[in-house]
Amino acid sequence: MGFSEIDILQIEEKGLSSKEIERQLQIFERGNIKVDIQEAATPGNGIFVYSEKKKKDLIAKYETRMSGLNLLKFVPASGAATRMFKALHNFADEFNPEKQSLRDYLDQKEDATLQRFFEGITELPFYDKALKLARESYSGFEDKSNDEQQLILVKTMLFEDGLNLSNYPKGLVPFHKYEDRVATAFEEHLYGAAKYLSVNGLANLHFTVAHGDKDKFKDEFDAIQERVEQATNTEFEITYSYQDPKTDTIAVDEDNEPFRDEEGNIFFRPGGHGALIENLNNQEADIIFIKNIDNVVVEKNLGEVVEHKKMLGGKLLELQEQIFGYLQQLDAGNISEAKLDEIADFLKNELFQEVTASFNKFTGEEKIQYLCRRLDKPLRVCGMVKNEGEPGGGPFLVKDETGEISLQIIEGAQIDKDNIEQLKILNNSTHFNPVDIVCGIYNWKKEKYDLHNYVDESMSFIAHKTKDGKPLKALERPGLWNGGMAMWNTVFVEVPVTTFNPVKTVADLLKPSHRTA
């Protein structure tokens, strides 16, 4: 592919190279690569399910060790609230109270979430504010029919001359209504962090945000800081980062030629949440908890969430103690065959990794090198919840191109559903990924891993989008917890579904888990 001098300048301004763009273009030519799932990870076969005693032991381990650790909560928070309000945008565009009743419109749409929204609209945390603004902005509001009022309220919630919620970052949308305050998802993350991250009265959080939103988050923190810090007896050190422009990817047309905008410039798109491996790689903490911005609970339900966060943290520490001890022994050399076999059993029983059939034929030195290669990696412990129909990726045992089998979080789009055997495995899966992840990014020598070295680039994903009405193909980088961490050592632990409370649509705010009363 020959690029013009202007193209090369544009590429370099992104922090990219022509070689990297050529690599991305080759992925479009190659197409999506489906993963080879061997089995769904299930309790006893890839997912640990712990007794109450084991949970308490892991929690105690975490609580004992946490004061000597640098802890961090990493929250992907760059998403806008637009998708959350999609059904309301359609309603605002389509509904005409002079031609149709609200009841008829809802019956016609057959949208259960929209139905739930209007049934519970007065319970929404921003309803009172929207009603006050609607009364002030629309003369004769009280004299209008109920259907007309509902339309005005929706427009007031959504648009710029009202609350403008659909243009907010999702993290700054009011989520929960308490007697004395209304709390955003951002605020709820602070309350949660204070319960399991606070060391000597300080909790560290990092939010990845969209360009232009950092000041909005900082303003929100300034507004709530005194109240939250007094309530939690904790000070908060909050940092922010953006998705690096050099993680953007080139878009192509249907012929896999670079897609160009109306000015003839190459069109780049953000590379998806997999680009955040760059942001994660820039963090420095002994333990990093990853959780999405919209997965929060009201205060009264925080206890169970905190308990299981500590359990996952304790499991990470338990595994690190074992892995670091083994790596120290392997590094020292002069290790017995019995100890080498013990370490191989640890790989199988604790990390659910298949040990090569040739292992017993290896020399002692070859066994040491093999075990070091398998153990010396970043580590993650991932909570998994029972699948109750929520969308999301799931835990599987996957064979890679070298024939090695490991635990992976796989999205449905990565699986070849035309293959009957693969579809059968998918349909037999019992759990899914709520993005409840605890990470260890240092090795046994206290050196930080370069996380870029543990990404499976073959898990990049091609998606079909449009720009200015024209179709294009977009390249999503390997998802942060999918291909972005594919070469990490991974452990799955069951956590209760009550710890997973995402807000995908505005109606989700009306679920019991988001009600304060």
Side-chain angles (χ1 to χ4, degrees), residues 7 27 202 209 217 285 341 382 403 442 487 504:
D7 290 341
I27 294 174
L202 178 69
V209 298
F217 278 91
D341 288 341
C382 311
Y442 285 88
M487 297 179 191
K504 300 304 176 191

Side-chain angles (χ1 to χ4, degrees), residues 369-392:
Q369 290 176 3
Y370 176 82
L371 293 171
C372 281
R373 180 176 66 81
R374 299 297 291 269
L375 286 175
D376 195 7
K377 300 177 179 182
L379 176 66
R380 61 176 174 164
V381 175
C382 311
M384 290 291 153
V385 301
K386 287 181 181 173
N387 198 335
E388 296 186 349
E390 294 280 356

Side-chain angles (χ1 to χ4, degrees), residues 83-88 106 109-121 124 504-511:
R83 196 179 304 175
M84 175 179 164
F85 293 104
K86 185 180 177 184
L88 295 188
L106 294 174
K109 297 304 283 187
E110 296 183 340
D111 183 335
T113 61
L114 200 58
Q115 177 81 35
R116 195 160 73 241
F117 168 82
F118 282 109
E119 285 173 356
I121 188 170
L124 288 166
K504 300 304 176 191
T505 74
V506 63
D508 288 337
L509 293 174
L510 296 167
K511 289 181 176 179

Side-chain angles (χ1 to χ4, degrees), residues 52-66:
E52 285 303 311
K53 181 182 183 308
K54 178 66 174 176
K55 280 183 195 174
K56 285 176 182 172
D57 289 346
L58 291 173
I59 291 167
K61 179 178 283 293
Y62 178 77
E63 290 178 339
T64 301
R65 292 275 312 276
M66 66 184 289

Side-chain angles (χ1 to χ4, degrees), residues 199-217:
V199 175
N200 299 322
L202 178 69
N204 296 294
L205 296 94
H206 183 87
F207 293 84
T208 65
V209 298
H211 282 278
D213 285 347
K214 180 178 174 180
D215 287 343
K216 296 174 188 173
F217 278 91

Side-chain angles (χ1 to χ4, degrees), residues 165-424:
L165 291 178
S166 70
N167 290 316
Y168 270 39
K170 198 174 192 181
L172 298 183
V173 172
F175 266 31
H176 301 147
K177 179 181 171 185
Y178 296 93
E179 281 187 15
D180 60 338
R181 71 188 192 280
V182 170
T184 62
F186 172 75
E187 180 174 332
E188 296 294 20
H189 273 281
L190 303 185
Y191 277 96
K195 299 279 189 183
Y196 63 90
L197 283 180
S198 181
V199 175
N200 299 322
L202 178 69
N204 296 294
L205 296 94
H206 183 87
F207 293 84
T208 65
V209 298
H211 282 278
D213 285 347
K214 180 178 174 180
D215 287 343
K216 296 174 188 173
F217 278 91
K218 291 180 86 170
D219 288 346
E220 176 68 10
F221 182 61
D222 288 345
I224 65 174
Q225 180 178 5
E226 185 178 355
R227 170 166 53 77
V228 177
E229 290 188 345
Q230 282 183 359
T232 60
N233 199 27
T234 301
E235 290 184 8
F236 297 94
E237 184 70 39
I238 301 177
T239 54
Y240 303 90
S241 64
Y242 306 120
Q243 204 160 298
D244 195 315
K246 75 170 182 270
T247 63
D248 289 357
T249 56
I250 192 170
V252 299
D253 60 21
E254 296 296 303
D255 297 319
N256 294 330
E257 296 290 328
F259 187 97
R260 295 181 183 273
D261 63 21
E262 291 172 349
E263 280 79 47
N265 296 316
I266 296 173
F267 181 56
F268 291 91
R269 298 181 76 260
H273 63 71
L276 297 181
I277 200 72
E278 184 80 25
N279 306 62
L280 187 63
N281 198 47
N282 290 330
Q283 306 310 312
E284 295 185 2
D286 298 311
I287 297 182
I288 300 175
F289 292 81
I290 301 179
K291 192 176 186 183
N292 278 333
I293 188 67
D294 66 348
N295 183 14
V296 291
V297 295
V298 294
E299 244 180 288
K300 66 180 180 181
N301 298 334
L302 201 49
E304 189 173 34
V305 172
V306 168
E307 183 179 84
H308 286 89
K309 289 286 189 197
K310 290 181 177 180
M311 178 191 78
L312 295 176
K315 181 62 181 175
L316 184 96
L317 291 168
E318 180 184 77
L319 286 167
Q320 278 187 334
E321 286 172 9
Q322 293 171 294
I323 291 170
F324 290 176
Y326 285 146
L327 284 168
Q328 280 180 297
Q329 293 173 66
L330 291 166
D331 185 65
N334 193 26
I335 190 166
S336 69
E337 284 292 324
K339 179 59 72 172
L340 291 170
D341 288 341
E342 177 191 319
I343 299 172
D345 286 341
F346 173 83
L347 276 176
K348 287 185 279 190
N349 299 328
E350 289 292 326
L351 302 181
F352 289 92
Q353 294 182 16
E354 202 171 75
V355 174
T356 178
S358 310
F359 184 76
N360 290 328
K361 298 175 186 173
F362 288 171
T363 65
E365 186 56 36
E366 286 171 337
K367 286 182 177 179
I368 287 172
Q369 290 176 3
Y370 176 82
L371 293 171
C372 281
R373 180 176 66 81
R374 299 297 291 269
L375 286 175
D376 195 7
K377 300 177 179 182
L379 176 66
R380 61 176 174 164
V381 175
C382 311
M384 290 291 153
V385 301
K386 287 181 181 173
N387 198 335
E388 296 186 349
E390 294 280 356
F396 292 90
L397 287 149
V398 178
K399 183 188 282 187
D400 67 17
E401 56 190 15
T402 70
E404 287 186 355
I405 294 173
S406 61
L407 292 172
Q408 301 288 340
I409 297 171
I410 300 298
E411 304 298 321
Q414 295 177 269
I415 297 170
D416 184 1
K417 298 187 185 71
D418 293 329
N419 181 313
I420 293 171
E421 288 304 312
Q422 294 281 288
L423 185 61
K424 190 175 173 184

